[in-house]
Short mmCIF file of all heavy atoms in Angstrom, two decimals:
data_model
loop_
_atom_site.label_atom_id
_atom_site.label_comp_id
_atom_site.label_asym_id
_atom_site.label_seq_id
_atom_site.Cartn_x
_atom_site.Cartn_y
_atom_site.Cartn_z
N GLY O 98 145.15 -14.31 8.59
CA GLY O 98 144.79 -13.77 7.26
C GLY O 98 145.52 -12.54 7.03
O GLY O 98 146.33 -12.07 7.95
N PRO O 99 145.35 -11.90 5.87
CA PRO O 99 146.06 -10.64 5.54
C PRO O 99 145.70 -9.50 6.36
O PRO O 99 144.54 -9.34 6.68
CB PRO O 99 145.75 -10.37 4.09
CG PRO O 99 144.45 -11.14 3.78
CD PRO O 99 144.53 -12.28 4.75
N ASN O 100 146.74 -8.73 6.89
CA ASN O 100 146.45 -7.42 7.49
C ASN O 100 146.69 -6.39 6.44
O ASN O 100 147.79 -5.86 6.33
CB ASN O 100 147.31 -7.24 8.77
CG ASN O 100 146.88 -6.05 9.51
OD1 ASN O 100 145.95 -5.29 9.09
ND2 ASN O 100 147.47 -5.84 10.67
N ALA O 101 145.70 -6.12 5.60
CA ALA O 101 145.89 -5.21 4.48
C ALA O 101 144.62 -4.29 4.41
O ALA O 101 143.68 -4.56 3.66
CB ALA O 101 145.98 -6.00 3.17
N PRO O 102 144.56 -3.35 5.32
CA PRO O 102 143.28 -2.48 5.36
C PRO O 102 142.94 -1.89 4.06
O PRO O 102 141.70 -1.82 3.76
CB PRO O 102 143.75 -1.41 6.36
CG PRO O 102 144.83 -1.97 7.18
CD PRO O 102 145.60 -2.94 6.18
N GLU O 103 143.87 -1.58 3.18
CA GLU O 103 143.45 -0.90 1.88
C GLU O 103 142.67 -1.99 0.98
O GLU O 103 141.92 -1.49 0.11
CB GLU O 103 144.74 -0.39 1.20
CG GLU O 103 145.69 -1.41 0.60
CD GLU O 103 146.56 -2.09 1.75
OE1 GLU O 103 146.45 -1.66 2.91
OE2 GLU O 103 147.34 -3.06 1.42
N GLN O 104 142.82 -3.21 1.28
CA GLN O 104 142.09 -4.26 0.60
C GLN O 104 140.88 -4.64 1.46
O GLN O 104 140.19 -5.62 1.10
CB GLN O 104 142.85 -5.45 0.22
CG GLN O 104 144.03 -5.16 -0.80
CD GLN O 104 145.01 -6.30 -0.77
OE1 GLN O 104 144.75 -7.48 -0.48
NE2 GLN O 104 146.27 -5.89 -1.06
N GLY O 105 140.70 -4.06 2.58
CA GLY O 105 139.52 -4.34 3.35
C GLY O 105 139.83 -5.49 4.45
O GLY O 105 138.83 -5.88 5.20
N HIS O 106 141.05 -5.93 4.53
CA HIS O 106 141.35 -7.00 5.55
C HIS O 106 142.16 -6.52 6.73
O HIS O 106 143.05 -5.76 6.64
CB HIS O 106 142.23 -8.14 4.86
CG HIS O 106 141.52 -8.64 3.66
ND1 HIS O 106 140.22 -9.13 3.63
CD2 HIS O 106 141.96 -8.88 2.33
CE1 HIS O 106 139.95 -9.56 2.46
NE2 HIS O 106 140.97 -9.46 1.64
N ARG O 107 141.64 -6.89 7.91
CA ARG O 107 142.26 -6.51 9.15
C ARG O 107 142.45 -7.70 10.08
O ARG O 107 142.17 -7.66 11.19
CB ARG O 107 141.38 -5.45 9.80
CG ARG O 107 141.38 -4.10 9.03
CD ARG O 107 140.29 -3.09 9.73
NE ARG O 107 140.29 -1.89 8.86
CZ ARG O 107 141.11 -0.87 9.00
NH1 ARG O 107 141.97 -0.88 10.05
NH2 ARG O 107 141.08 0.21 8.26
N PHE O 108 143.00 -8.74 9.51
CA PHE O 108 143.37 -9.92 10.33
C PHE O 108 144.60 -9.62 11.24
O PHE O 108 145.47 -8.91 10.86
CB PHE O 108 143.65 -11.15 9.44
CG PHE O 108 142.39 -11.64 8.76
CD1 PHE O 108 142.18 -11.32 7.44
CD2 PHE O 108 141.50 -12.46 9.40
CE1 PHE O 108 141.05 -11.76 6.79
CE2 PHE O 108 140.38 -12.89 8.82
CZ PHE O 108 140.15 -12.59 7.49
N ASN O 109 144.49 -10.24 12.43
CA ASN O 109 145.59 -9.97 13.37
C ASN O 109 145.59 -11.12 14.49
O ASN O 109 144.65 -11.00 15.29
CB ASN O 109 145.57 -8.60 14.00
CG ASN O 109 146.78 -8.34 14.94
OD1 ASN O 109 147.41 -9.28 15.37
ND2 ASN O 109 146.94 -7.12 15.33
N ARG O 110 146.44 -12.07 14.34
CA ARG O 110 146.17 -13.16 15.29
C ARG O 110 146.52 -12.82 16.69
O ARG O 110 146.40 -13.71 17.60
CB ARG O 110 146.93 -14.45 14.83
CG ARG O 110 148.43 -14.44 14.77
CD ARG O 110 148.91 -15.93 14.56
NE ARG O 110 148.73 -16.73 15.80
CZ ARG O 110 147.89 -17.86 15.83
NH1 ARG O 110 147.23 -18.16 14.78
NH2 ARG O 110 147.80 -18.43 16.87
N ALA O 111 146.99 -11.65 16.94
CA ALA O 111 147.23 -11.28 18.34
C ALA O 111 145.87 -11.03 19.04
O ALA O 111 145.80 -11.09 20.36
CB ALA O 111 147.98 -9.99 18.42
N HIS O 112 144.74 -10.85 18.30
CA HIS O 112 143.47 -10.62 18.87
C HIS O 112 142.66 -11.84 19.11
O HIS O 112 142.60 -12.65 18.23
CB HIS O 112 142.65 -9.67 17.97
CG HIS O 112 143.26 -8.29 17.88
ND1 HIS O 112 143.18 -7.54 16.65
CD2 HIS O 112 143.90 -7.53 18.74
CE1 HIS O 112 143.84 -6.38 16.82
NE2 HIS O 112 144.19 -6.35 18.03
#
Side-chain angles (χ1 to χ4, degrees):
Chain O
N100 188 357
E103 68 286 354
Q104 292 163 31
H106 301 309
R107 292 174 182 268
F108 291 98
N109 182 345
R110 67 167 289 115
H112 295 143

